Amino acid sequence: MSDPTPAERFAAAREAEHHPQATLFAASQRFVLDPFQVAGCHALEEGRSVLVAAPTGAGKTIVGEFAVFLALAQGTKCFYTTPIKALSNQKYHDLVEVHGAENVGLLTGDNSINSSAPVVVMTTEVLRNMLYADSPALQGLRYVVMDEVHYLADRFRGAVWEEVILHLAPDVQLVSLSATVSNAEEFGDWLEMVRGDTTVVVSEHRPVPLGQHVLARDALFPLYAGHVDPTDPGPDPPINPELRHSLERSERRSAPRRHGDPGYRGRGRGPAGRPRAARPVPRFAVVDVLAEARMLPAIYFIFSRAGCDAAVSQCLAAGVRLTTSAEAAEIRRIAEERCADVPREDLEVLGYWAWLDGLARGLAAHHAGLLPLFKETVETLFARGLVKVVFATETLALGINMPARSVVLEKLVKWDGSAHVSLTPGEYTQLTGRAGRRGIDTEGHAVVVAHPALDLEGLVGLASRRTYPLRSSFRPSYNMAVNLVAQVGRTRAREVLEMSFAQFQADRGVVGLARDAKAHA
């Protein structure tokens, strides 16, 4: 690398003069910060709240980590909030490694560690409850990081994010970290209206390009036609004709036999007599294809805890082994060391030996029903590159740092708590965004397994949409209104309802009037 020019040295000196903390923070990182990361850090140091919208894996959490850095440098407090306990646990360990256990605490429904520390990691619900209770821990709070803030679109829990944003003290700077959404400016306008000066930083650049594939009949096919740039497919890109031909051949092979054919029983017909596509490729065969294509490690999303466990069992029964003898020995050593304090009889009940056998072969499940000790061990082994395939539910897509070369989707439908629904473009982007390890891979891979209900046009619609609108899920019900009045009183409850992002999207004038009324009350 050549020495900097006089002009570059002058620019660096001015940068250090105007943003000394950001300069120190950037110098402590192992890589050069991207422009959007620098912009977010600068806005924060200048005293503004910031909304950072960037693709999964682009490194937007750097801006959240700078808020932690600033709080410690200034002698103030920073709360780092996440949607789920697993992500809170991981972020806690990450920050402890950088800043020391004495400076970092953890608050989830399961754990309370060093809760009086200047930096505390917690789930968003914990912070919401602290605000309603006027907790003394809020004194001295200067920064709040809301990781995965686009989660406010979740129809079951999304309202919690809006309640926190509305109830935080006016002098708290908010760091909102979101996936790339098409209406980031609209969301930023609402944040500015209810929180004050807010900078919106948007990046649509993925550091590692993402290829889109379909696995059909034991072979991988690109989703798009050959002339399409997968990093910029544009609207309605043409489908790979070879892929379409392969699926059509599979349908013909599974078409019903004619009367008089041996064994004819009318098989191969779906609803309304339509031909049914061939059975999906078995999970162990998918793993074999990925291994042969050098596309491991992989996260294999199955929207069922039982399905994740069954996938590991199926691979073990098929004799899948993805590790060397040295890797298997290292896996056993780490797992046995982590579980050394668990009585042997408890390990028997927990299925420890089958779990350990899967780990040693490079296979594991990851879901909310797994023992936390087992789950954390899986995360550690996958992050170290020892476990090669993790069968996971969608919670693994929420920011947990388990980098993979490939992401596999078994289906494009999931259970949302009340019905089976199709994945949205945002969910598809969030899931497949885990593929591609920065600094390791030149390309990530999203793989959809062909199955009878696969709609290629629908898949193209999901894969080719790079952004999607963020819609508020805040829907005040009688139950919510009663609880709000009981917890915070009638006046404050009305403020929450009038100043929500949902109300802003319906009529931003109402939110502005509500804010002015609150300021002059």
Side-chain angles (χ1 to χ4, degrees), residues 18-347:
H18 288 93
H19 302 99
Q21 295 299 332
T23 302
L24 284 172
F25 176 74
S28 70
Q29 301 303 302
R30 300 186 305 273
F31 51 87
V32 177
L33 299 190
D34 289 339
F36 84 91
Q37 296 168 326
V38 172
C41 292
H42 285 181
L44 204 55
E45 187 169 1
E46 291 165 8
R48 299 193 295 275
S49 292
V50 62
L51 165 64
V52 181
T56 300
K60 52 185 173 285
T61 54
I62 283 290
V63 183
E65 290 166 9
F66 179 58
V68 171
F69 181 91
L70 274 179
L72 292 174
Q74 297 168 349
T76 57
K77 284 185 179 180
C78 176
F79 288 171
Y80 197 112
T81 74
T82 78
I84 57 174
K85 297 172 187 176
L87 182 51
S88 291
N89 292 334
Q90 185 178 78
K91 203 66 199 178
Y92 165 74
H93 291 298
D94 290 346
L95 293 175
V96 164
E97 190 173 329
V98 176
H99 301 291
E102 69 279 4
N103 289 318
V104 185
L106 175 67
L107 284 174
T108 65
D110 298 331
N111 289 311
S112 177
I113 303 171
N114 197 18
S115 60
S116 61
V119 176
V120 183
V121 184
M122 62 187 69
T123 51
T124 316
E125 280 88 352
V126 168
L127 178 53
R128 189 269 307 271
N129 295 341
M130 291 171 68
L131 289 165
Y132 281 153
D134 287 325
S135 169
L138 296 168
Q139 294 180 6
L141 180 62
R142 180 62 186 278
Y143 303 99
V144 168
V145 180
M146 301 195 78
D147 205 350
E148 311 283 356
V149 74
H150 54 270
Y151 210 79
L152 64 77
D154 181 81
R155 72 192 195 97
F156 295 107
R157 296 170 54 214
V160 173
W161 274 252
E162 296 192 40
E163 293 174 59
V164 168
I165 291 169
L166 293 171
H167 285 311
L168 284 171
D171 60 344
V172 172
Q173 286 177 246
L174 192 65
V175 182
S176 303
L177 307 177
S178 171
T180 306
V181 293
S182 55
N183 60 336
E185 287 74 15
E186 179 189 37
F187 185 45
D189 287 345
W190 175 69
L191 289 172
E192 176 118 15
M193 188 169 285
V194 299
R195 297 296 317 161
D197 198 4
T198 301
T199 295
V200 178
V201 179
V202 177
S203 173
E204 296 183 15
H205 171 68
R206 254 191 71 98
V208 181
L210 183 65
Q212 303 285 343
H213 313 269
V214 173
L215 196 155
R217 299 177 64 239
D218 298 352
L220 275 171
F221 295 87
L223 174 60
Y224 306 128
H227 66 277
V228 176
D229 179 359
T231 65
D232 187 20
D236 301 318
I239 295 170
N240 179 4
E242 291 184 11
L243 168 61
R244 193 186 291 278
H245 180 62
S246 175
L247 294 182
E248 289 172 352
R249 276 194 297 166
S250 295
E251 286 189 5
R252 286 197 297 270
R253 287 185 178 184
S254 59
R257 301 177 186 180
R258 294 173 299 173
H259 284 285
D261 286 348
Y264 172 72
R265 294 181 181 179
R267 290 176 292 180
R269 286 279 169 181
R274 290 192 301 270
R276 180 182 289 124
R279 290 183 178 181
V281 180
R283 291 158 177 165
F284 63 84
V286 174
V287 172
D288 286 341
V289 170
L290 294 177
E292 187 174 341
R294 300 184 179 275
M295 291 170 62
L296 300 180
I299 299 173
Y300 196 130
F301 284 111
I302 300 173
F303 302 121
S304 156
R305 298 180 188 181
C308 292
D309 294 334
V312 175
S313 299
Q314 290 159 10
C315 289
L316 294 180
V320 174
R321 183 179 297 277
L322 305 172
T323 55
T324 65
S325 56
E327 288 174 329
E330 179 68 2
I331 288 169
R332 289 183 179 277
R333 184 191 67 78
I334 293 172
E336 289 168 359
E337 185 179 278
R338 283 175 166 263
C339 299
D341 295 334
V342 181
R344 187 178 180 86
E345 55 271 22
D346 290 349
L347 292 177

Side-chain angles (χ1 to χ4, degrees), residues 445-510:
H445 304 278
V447 179
V448 175
V449 180
H451 53 274
L454 180 62
D455 173 13
L456 284 180
E457 282 73 17
L459 173 58
V460 166
L462 291 175
S464 60
R465 286 187 64 180
R466 293 295 185 248
T467 61
Y468 48 92
L470 181 62
R471 299 296 179 201
S472 172
S473 63
F474 195 92
R475 301 289 183 270
S477 62
Y478 288 113
N479 187 50
M480 175 188 287
V482 168
N483 285 333
L484 276 173
V485 171
Q487 290 176 314
V488 300
R490 183 174 178 176
T491 301
R492 200 169 171 188
R494 182 173 178 175
E495 290 173 0
V496 171
L497 298 179
E498 290 181 339
M499 295 174 65
S500 69
F501 185 42
Q503 184 64 59
F504 180 83
Q505 290 186 310
D507 182 2
R508 66 174 60 194
V510 173

